Amino acid sequence: PYRDGIFLRSAAMAALGRSTRVETRFTVRPACFHGEADAATRATQRREYLRNIAETDYTLCLRGYGNYSFRFFEAMSLGRPPLLIDTDCVLPLDFLLDYRRVAVIVPQHHLRRAADHVAQHHAALDALAQLDLQRRVRAFWAEWLAPERFFRNVALH
C-alpha cells in the first residue's frame, strides 16, 4: 500500500493537516469527478475543485493510480505553485526545465515533512514575491505546458 497513490495522498493530507506550520483546505469526497454522480453534481464539484485551487497559495499534487498528477498541471494553469510529492515521476521536458523555480518539490521519503518544506519556501516570500511567483507559475505553464505549446516543443524530446 505504500506505493499506492491513494494511500500516499491520504498520508500527505494527514501530515499536512497535523502541522501547525501550514493551513490546509482539503475537500475530501467519496469518489473522484468521474464517479457515479450525475452531470450537474460533477459540474458543481469541478467548479468547487478549481475554486479551491485558485483560492489557495499552494496545491498538493500527488500521483493517483499512475505515476503522474493532472492536478500538477491544473494548479500551474491557475497560477498556483504545486506542492509535488515526487514519486520518481517524469515531468515533461525535465531535462530542459527547472521545475523547482515554480514548484515546491518534496521527495516521497520526506512526505511526513512536507509542511516544513512548504513553510520554509513560503517564509522566503513577501506578498509581492508570492504574487510574482504566481505569475511566473502561470507563465511557465503557458510557455511550456499548455497543450498547444507542449506539442510544439515535444520534438525537443
Side-chain angles (χ1 to χ4, degrees):
Y2 301 109
R3 300 175 64 89
D4 177 70
I6 304 305
F7 173 85
L8 293 171
R9 182 175 297 130
S10 295
M13 290 169 56
L16 291 162
R18 281 191 303 268
S19 175
T20 59
R21 300 191 70 191
V22 297
E23 179 183 333
T24 62
R25 288 186 49 188
F26 298 125
T27 301
V28 179
R29 299 194 191 280
C32 57
F33 294 126
H34 55 276
E36 303 277 329
D38 61 73
T41 300
R42 287 193 308 271
T44 298
Q45 290 176 349
R46 180 72 180 162
R47 281 191 304 276
E48 291 170 354
Y49 167 80
L50 294 172
R51 186 174 47 247
N52 190 31
I53 292 173
E55 292 176 354
T56 58
D57 293 326
Y58 302 88
T59 299
L60 175 62
C61 300
L62 209 136
R63 62 172 281 205
Y65 291 111
N67 197 18
Y68 61 91
S69 169
F70 283 118
R71 187 174 286 122
F72 182 82
F73 304 103
E74 292 168 327
M76 292 183 79
S77 74
L78 292 169
R80 294 303 179 260
L83 165 57
L84 177 67
I85 306 300
D86 185 9
T87 56
D88 293 325
C89 58
V90 177
L91 297 172
L93 304 169
D94 64 351
F95 61 90
L96 178 65
L97 303 175
D98 182 6
Y99 282 91
R100 294 188 185 281
R101 288 183 26 238
V102 293
V104 178
I105 301 177
V106 177
Q108 179 182 334
H109 64 273
H110 287 184
L111 184 142
R112 291 181 187 207
R113 297 192 341 247
D116 295 333
H117 288 265
V118 173
Q120 181 180 3
H121 182 271
H122 196 73
L125 304 172
D126 62 19
L128 287 176
Q130 179 71 19
L131 186 58
D132 181 60
L133 173 61
Q134 292 173 354
R135 288 184 182 128
R136 286 187 293 119
V137 169
R138 171 64 185 181
F140 184 98
W141 176 84
E143 178 68 23
W144 295 103
L145 303 172
E148 63 277 3
R149 297 302 285 225
F150 175 76
F151 288 112
R152 188 177 308 156
N153 293 315
V154 79
L156 296 173
H157 273 283

